[in-house]
Amino acid sequence: MEKILQQLLPQIINIRHTIHANPELANEEISTASLVASTLHNFGYTDIIEGIAGTGITAVLDSGKPGKTVALRADMDALPIDEQTYLEYKSTIKNKMHACGHDGHTATLLAVAGLLIQCRGQFRGKVKFIFQPAEEIGAGALAMINAGALDNPKVDAVFGYHNTTKSKEGVFKVKAGCIHAGADVFSITIKGKGGHAAHPHLISDPIYIGSLIIQAIQSIVSRLTLPAEALVISVTQFHAGTTHNVIPEEATFGGTIRAVTTTTQQVVKDKISEIVDKICTIYGATSTVEFTHHFPPTINHIKETEFAYNIAQKVLPTGNAEFLMQPSMAAEDFSHYLEKVPGC
């Protein structure tokens, strides 16, 4: 198996560099999907379905022996970020970059596909490879599931991974239970009464009202939820006004909520809506609050987590398999797969 992997490695590195140099945003992964499909065909796969949920792909490897079906998933989309590196294979497209490492995820899963098809006599059952679009906007996994990615054959367990620059190369980290926080995006619009900045007593200032709301919603973290439960509320945008001497009629701001349980996610959304409404009422303004891009927390199943950890202990050097103590507050739409089938 090691010999096969070493033979595959130059091709896989080249694929990763190609994807990194040509990043595509969520639901735009046309060239990436085409490269994935052609690589799978060249490996000898025939049971390939393209165009799932737009640009998604699945492929099935049947060992020919009875057994369970295990799914392995990689995401393919990039982020709207301008790459500031000197890599030979840096992004060739302005304001698009694989800053979250999905190029590595995709290349790794292709390596596994290339390896396993040459070792199909060494296992039982089936392996289903899922190449997913649109993870960065929280839409890809659910769309793939709704399109049948976990069916035909029905998946018994699903596994994925996320690379990180926060640990040394070759280290495998896993956690039972919540490993990634759930996430929601919020957007708030405050409509007050604009006017001249010299006469604030005659207006309803949406900037001031917005600043009060931003401070107040932090009390949700410090005073309205369980202290032992990880929670983050971050305001990342605030837009209002066009000149120095006029207080505008409207302000908009928004950000993200990160929580480790779905119950807390809902509590936070309810509290934000309540705080916005009450503060706006006090100061004579109106408001709208919208929540989008919902990711539930990524909850690893115990049996599958222990299985993955035990295998890692067998194949990695001593000490390179670790159990995480705390979840990451980053979100991962792999959570949707784990709501449907056991996995890690």
Side-chain angles (χ1 to χ4, degrees), residues 185-206:
V185 173
F186 64 88
S187 178
I188 299 170
T189 301
I190 309 298
K191 286 195 174 182
K193 180 181 178 183
H196 200 287
H199 308 294
H201 60 292
L202 299 177
I203 63 179
S204 176
D205 183 349

Side-chain angles (χ1 to χ4, degrees), residues 2-334:
E2 180 67 25
K3 183 179 179 181
I4 296 171
L5 189 58
Q6 290 304 317
Q7 291 172 344
L8 284 170
L9 205 53
Q11 179 186 3
I12 297 302
I13 291 172
N14 182 62
I15 288 171
R16 188 250 161 166
H17 289 178
T18 299
I19 295 173
H20 190 92
N22 299 278
E24 296 171 302
L25 302 182
N27 294 317
E28 299 176 2
E29 309 92 336
I30 296 171
S31 295
T32 305
S34 177
L35 177 58
V36 168
S38 64
T39 303
L40 291 169
H41 280 294
N42 291 338
F43 283 156
Y45 285 82
T46 56
D47 191 354
I48 302 171
I49 302 176
E50 301 179 56
I52 304 170
T55 54
I57 297 172
T58 62
V60 177
L61 177 60
D62 189 343
S63 69
K65 294 177 281 191
K68 295 183 177 181
T69 297
V70 171
L72 305 175
R73 170 272 204 172
D75 36 15
M76 302 186 292
D77 55 325
L79 283 163
I81 295 174
D82 194 37
E83 180 164 4
Q84 302 292 322
T85 74
Y86 298 97
L87 296 171
E88 291 182 6
Y89 52 90
K90 69 176 290 186
S91 173
T92 59
I93 305 172
K94 188 171 180 59
N95 294 323
K96 295 182 182 181
M97 179 191 176
H98 271 291
C100 206
H102 296 184
D103 53 331
H105 298 174
T106 300
T108 301
L109 190 55
L110 285 172
V112 175
L115 176 69
L116 289 183
I117 198 167
Q118 296 188 58
C119 303
R120 66 200 309 171
Q122 299 180 33
F123 65 92
R124 305 175 68 86
K126 301 179 179 70
V127 180
K128 189 165 197 176
F129 301 92
I130 299 175
F131 294 89
Q132 176 206 305
E135 188 277 335
E136 296 292 1
I137 63 171
L142 201 55
M144 292 287 285
I145 291 166
N146 291 338
L150 296 177
D151 305 313
N152 301 318
K154 183 178 181 350
V155 170
D156 295 295
V158 61
F159 295 87
Y161 93 104
H162 205 297
N163 58 33
T164 176
T165 58
K166 295 178 181 179
S167 65
K168 294 184 294 184
E169 181 181 344
V171 175
F172 174 95
K173 297 182 179 182
V174 72
K175 181 181 182 299
C178 182
I179 190 167
H180 284 287
D184 291 279
V185 173
F186 64 88
S187 178
I188 299 170
T189 301
I190 309 298
K191 286 195 174 182
K193 180 181 178 183
H196 200 287
H199 308 294
H201 60 292
L202 299 177
I203 63 179
S204 176
D205 183 349
I207 296 176
Y208 176 69
I209 295 168
S211 69
L212 293 176
I213 290 169
I214 290 169
Q215 294 179 69
I217 62 177
Q218 292 305 322
S219 70
I220 299 172
V221 179
S222 64
R223 290 296 181 268
L224 299 175
T225 53
L226 187 68
E229 186 174 303
L231 172 64
V232 174
I233 304 174
S234 294
V235 175
T236 58
Q237 302 177 64
F238 197 113
H239 307 284
T242 57
T243 188
H244 69 281
N245 62 346
V246 177
I247 293 175
E249 181 178 299
E250 184 175 294
T252 62
F253 57 98
T256 183
I257 303 160
R258 305 299 172 103
V260 296
T261 68
T262 53
T263 300
T264 299
Q265 282 184 285
Q266 189 57 53
V267 167
V268 171
K269 290 188 282 188
D270 291 343
K271 290 295 183 183
I272 286 177
S273 297
E274 183 180 359
I275 287 169
V276 171
D277 179 65
K278 289 185 175 179
I279 291 178
C280 285
T281 298
I282 291 170
Y283 290 96
T286 60
S287 63
T288 58
V289 181
E290 295 182 343
F291 298 98
T292 57
H293 299 330
H294 173 75
F295 293 67
T298 304
I299 309 295
N300 280 338
H301 295 246
I302 293 174
K303 180 181 176 182
E304 285 69 28
T305 301
E306 290 177 345
F307 171 78
Y309 176 74
N310 290 336
I311 294 297
Q313 278 195 309
K314 290 180 181 179
V315 300
L316 295 176
T318 301
N320 277 24
E322 300 177 10
F323 259 114
L324 291 169
M325 300 303 294
Q326 299 294 330
S328 166
M329 298 310 287
E332 214 330 331
D333 80 348
F334 190 80

